[in-house]
Amino acid sequence: ARTLVLGWGSTYGPITAAVRRIRAQGGHIAQAHLRHLNPFPPNLGEVLTRYERVVIPEMNLGQLATLIRAEYLIDARSYTQVNGMPFKAEQLATALKEAIDGH
């Protein structure tokens, strides 16, 4: 895969469902989920540099993406939603397909 979806916290379920949908349709996508943010896992920078694109879905204004950009100088794409509702798997799968296609 050339695209990695990086998540943490409550985004695990929707990200996993969206990634499964994409893979079931023949798409190539990787997924990683952080258990803690401070400190970041020691090999996170190495993992992130293996991918052309990193997408970070967040239920906020993109704080994790900001931290990743600052710490690792990775051009992480932030996909955010702030409306009090969790991501829907289909909605997230559509956004991830666009990221895979390079849009």
Side-chain angles (χ1 to χ4, degrees):
R2 296 187 306 193
T3 301
L4 171 70
V5 184
L6 180 66
W8 75 285
S10 65
T11 60
Y12 179 78
I15 289 173
T16 300
V19 166
R20 284 184 182 157
R21 286 177 188 230
I22 292 169
R23 288 179 180 160
Q25 297 169 357
H28 300 285
I29 192 163
Q31 175 184 2
H33 203 79
L34 300 174
R35 291 184 182 209
H36 53 81
L37 300 180
N38 191 12
F40 282 128
N43 67 334
L44 182 59
E46 178 185 332
V47 170
L48 295 174
T49 58
R50 293 180 189 165
Y51 297 92
E52 289 179 14
R53 286 177 292 280
V54 176
V55 180
I56 304 176
E58 297 185 73
M59 300 296 301
N60 55 42
L61 296 176
Q63 285 88 335
L64 178 58
T66 300
L67 291 173
I68 294 295
R69 287 182 192 120
E71 182 73 21
Y72 301 107
L73 302 176
I74 300 290
D75 186 23
R77 288 183 63 181
S78 185
Y79 181 74
T80 63
Q81 175 176 298
V82 185
N83 63 6
M85 301 295 293
F87 286 115
K88 293 189 167 126
E90 185 60 36
Q91 164 197 10
L92 192 51
T94 300
L96 295 176
K97 284 180 206 171
E98 290 176 4
I100 290 171
D101 296 337
H103 292 75

